[in-house]
Amino acid sequence: TNNRNAGALGAEHMYEAVKEKLAEGEEGSPIRIAVISQDATSESVTGRTFGFVDKMVELVKAGGIETVAVTGHDLFIPEDQEEGALDAATVVIDVGVSSGTQAGQILTTIQALMNKDNVVGIFASNELSANGILDATNEGEDLGDVVAVGFDAGIRQKTAVQEGLFLGSVTQDPFQIGYKAVELAYKAHMGETVEDVDTGAKFYDKDNLSDPSINELVYE
């Protein structure tokens, strides 16, 4: 899985759901999009976080809002973000990195993110983080108008998507992961040159979750 592309897919779907709210932000009272990253070290989780953050910044700016800033963790702040950008921002992407992988640690980080003013969306970079959102919001019932997008699956996350409490989630494509692994192994055995391939990711929501092309990719 190209995790940056997968994270960007989540940003694209969330942006469409919140773009009208983003215009309501003001300097000193910005609209916030929260991002929960389980850690700042693993390639998969950081890749998804980078992908989401970078794509959301791109989309917000393309939508006519230049005063967007990233905060929360130095790793994910764009290198070209100007000093003082956060003070002038009307849209803020707030990245929280958990102090550990225990459910309680993730919950604490999510609560800190969601207790801030004007949060309109939250993105979880993996199943543990998505479950943390559910822990913090009574299985999604208390999300209110906050648009949640998850990653991976699991029965709790699938249920939240199915009931429309999550906008949707991003799933990897385990079928293609297995298929391409065998295909590349065979080509390598035959002496052909092989290279990494993106096995893809898909966005699922309550409308397409039952489609065979999606349902076979998500687990409980």
Side-chain angles (χ1 to χ4, degrees), residues 1-3 5-7 9-10 151 169-174 176 198-204 214 217:
T1 305
N2 183 315
N3 285 292
N5 288 348
L9 181 61
F151 205 106
S169 294
V170 180
T171 177
Q172 300 177 82
D173 192 333
Q176 284 298 319
D198 181 7
T199 51
K202 295 182 179 180
F203 187 84
Y204 65 96
I214 294 292
L217 306 182

Side-chain angles (χ1 to χ4, degrees), residues 16-205:
E16 289 301 316
V18 303
K19 61 183 180 182
E20 293 183 2
K21 296 179 181 178
L22 300 181
E24 300 174 6
E26 300 177 354
E27 184 176 333
S29 182
I31 299 296
R32 291 182 179 272
I33 295 174
V35 181
I36 173 65
S37 186
Q38 176 188 281
D39 60 59
T41 55
S42 66
E43 189 282 330
S44 59
V45 171
T46 57
R48 297 166 192 175
T49 305
F50 273 118
F52 180 90
V53 170
D54 292 347
K55 175 56 73 170
M56 186 60 77
V57 169
E58 175 189 325
L59 291 170
V60 171
K61 288 185 175 181
I65 300 174
E66 288 293 330
T67 52
V68 55
V70 181
T71 189
H73 195 286
D74 290 346
L75 178 66
F76 302 106
I77 296 176
E79 292 183 359
D80 61 352
Q81 180 166 298
E82 296 180 1
E83 186 175 351
L86 186 61
D87 294 331
T90 62
V91 173
V92 169
I93 301 171
D94 197 354
V95 184
V97 176
S98 174
S99 60
T101 59
Q102 298 299 313
Q105 295 169 313
I106 294 172
L107 174 61
T108 297
T109 303
I110 291 170
Q111 289 174 328
L113 288 169
M114 296 192 68
N115 283 339
K116 296 179 181 180
D117 293 334
N118 303 328
V119 177
V120 300
I122 183 167
F123 172 71
S125 56
N126 63 357
E127 183 184 0
L128 284 175
S129 299
N131 285 345
I133 295 174
L134 296 174
D135 289 337
T137 61
N138 187 28
E139 297 302 312
E141 294 285 351
D142 297 337
L143 276 165
D145 294 331
V146 176
V147 175
V149 171
F151 205 106
D152 292 326
I155 186 62
R156 294 176 66 193
Q157 188 171 182
K158 283 181 64 178
T159 299
V161 171
Q162 198 164 31
E163 294 181 355
L165 300 172
F166 271 28
L167 176 68
S169 294
V170 180
T171 177
Q172 300 177 82
D173 192 333
F175 180 87
Q176 284 298 319
I177 290 172
Y179 187 94
K180 292 296 184 183
V182 174
E183 182 179 63
L184 292 174
Y186 177 76
K187 287 182 176 180
H189 172 70
M190 297 301 292
E192 297 182 38
T193 300
V194 298
E195 58 185 17
D196 288 347
V197 297
D198 181 7
T199 51
K202 295 182 179 180
F203 187 84
Y204 65 96
D205 56 25

